[in-house]
Amino acid sequence: MTATRSTRQRDVIAQVLGRATGPLAVPEILGLAQSDLPGLGIATVYRTLKLLTEQGQIHPVTLDGETRYEAAGKGHHHHFSCTRCGRVFTLHTCPVTLPSGTVYPGGFVVEAHEVTLYGQCPECAAN
Amino acid sequence: MTATRSTRQRDVIAQVLGRATGPLAVPEILGLAQSDLPGLGIATVYRTLKLLTEQGQIHPVTLDGETRYEAAGKGHHHHFSCTRCGRVFTLHTCPVTLPSGTVYPGGFVVEAHEVTLYGQCPECAAN
DNA sequence: CTACGTGCAAAGGTTTTGCATAGAG
DNA sequence: CTCTATGCAAAACCTTTGCACGTAG
């Protein structure tokens, strides 16, 4: 079996994602992690993201052509993408009710859904 | 002002997207277009997709880490991604009602929304 | 000590760009 | 004819991989 070690790099990357208010893109993760661990290389970030994803600790989210990552285990939620500042936030409310098994016109059997809202985040809306 | 010419390449690419039952990825567009126009180059596909997007004739959609393109002007709709065969379909029903201007808890001002459903398409569900 | 993990640099893919030629108007 | 559009090949990106060194256990 595979022995997975605990390293400062992995801890820092996991912490960065744990503290985030929404899914982060790779450059954001690198930047934030480097402020805690200056020498960190991009290859390690990619390798760690892949590892954490396989372990189910984080989850990839694709939004506007960019792959972002967020900590797992935060329950059912969706995302809000600010059209002004470009940041992405996690929303804990869900605007749809689609029980697994719902059948859509045409015979599409729904197993899951994903919603993204676009608009202005509180900060941008205030300015 | 810019003079935009009508060419066989542009026509073919626009037709391919117009005939599609859902958003297409670049390799799909290239393949389908090449069956009508063998010598077509990938660079022309990218340039044309960019042009048509700027003109508002098509619309990019990101799904599962891939950027796809669909003809515009088909009204409000969403997408269904088949978890078995991987194809993406356009749905003409909408499971949410979010008038522009809706304010979400925390002060997020909603301007638009995007929904993707995952499950089995009619064909896969039947087998 | 013995692997696994890391950083660096090179390799792979995909998208964009430069340039000479083809073709729309 | 003139000037935009195309195809090819090179360049620019982003992500993955190979390798020698660092380090957790």
Side-chain angles (χ1 to χ4, degrees):
Chain A
M1 60 172 263
T2 321
T4 297
R5 293 180 180 172
S6 167
T7 66
R8 183 125 177 68
Q9 286 83 343
R10 288 178 186 172
D11 292 348
V12 168
I13 292 170
Q15 275 175 40
V16 163
L17 290 171
R19 277 197 295 263
T21 57
L24 302 177
V26 173
E28 292 171 330
I29 297 169
L30 180 65
L32 290 169
Q34 281 183 335
S35 59
D36 275 0
L37 192 58
L40 181 64
I42 186 76
T44 297
V45 173
Y46 279 110
R47 280 188 283 233
T48 301
L49 291 174
K50 189 178 177 186
L51 177 74
L52 295 177
T53 299
E54 283 165 356
Q55 293 182 340
Q57 294 186 38
I58 64 173
H59 194 59
V61 178
T62 304
L63 228 132
D64 302 312
E66 245 188 355
T67 301
R68 290 166 172 268
Y69 294 85
E70 65 185 355
K74 297 201 172 177
H76 184 69
H77 66 272
H78 297 299
H79 302 109
F80 185 100
S81 174
C82 182
T83 52
R84 273 221 212 161
C85 68
R87 284 183 298 172
V88 177
F89 302 83
T90 294
L91 295 177
H92 298 286
T93 44
C94 175
V96 300
T97 307
L98 288 170
S100 189
T102 297
V103 177
Y104 250 64
F108 293 92
V109 183
V110 179
E111 294 168 347
H113 69 268
E114 218 166 75
V115 178
T116 305
L117 303 182
Y118 294 89
Q120 297 193 20
C121 70
E123 214 172 290
C124 287
N127 300 307
Chain B
M1 57 172 262
T2 321
T4 296
R5 292 178 180 174
S6 167
T7 66
R8 183 126 178 66
Q9 286 83 343
R10 288 179 187 173
D11 291 348
V12 168
I13 292 170
Q15 275 175 40
V16 163
L17 290 171
R19 277 197 295 263
T21 57
L24 302 178
V26 173
E28 294 171 330
I29 297 169
L30 180 65
L32 290 169
Q34 281 182 334
S35 59
D36 275 2
L37 192 59
L40 180 64
I42 187 74
T44 297
V45 173
Y46 279 109
R47 279 188 282 231
T48 301
L49 291 173
K50 189 178 178 187
L51 176 74
L52 295 177
T53 299
E54 284 165 356
Q55 294 182 340
Q57 294 185 39
I58 64 174
H59 194 57
V61 179
T62 304
L63 227 130
D64 303 312
E66 244 188 358
T67 300
R68 290 165 172 269
Y69 294 84
E70 65 185 355
K74 297 201 172 176
H76 185 68
H77 68 270
H78 296 298
H79 301 110
F80 185 98
S81 173
C82 182
T83 52
R84 273 222 214 161
C85 67
R87 284 183 298 172
V88 177
F89 302 83
T90 295
L91 294 177
H92 297 288
T93 44
C94 176
V96 300
T97 308
L98 287 169
S100 188
T102 297
V103 178
Y104 251 62
F108 293 93
V109 183
V110 179
E111 295 168 346
H113 68 268
E114 218 166 75
V115 177
T116 304
L117 302 183
Y118 293 89
Q120 297 192 20
C121 71
E123 213 172 291
C124 287
N127 300 307

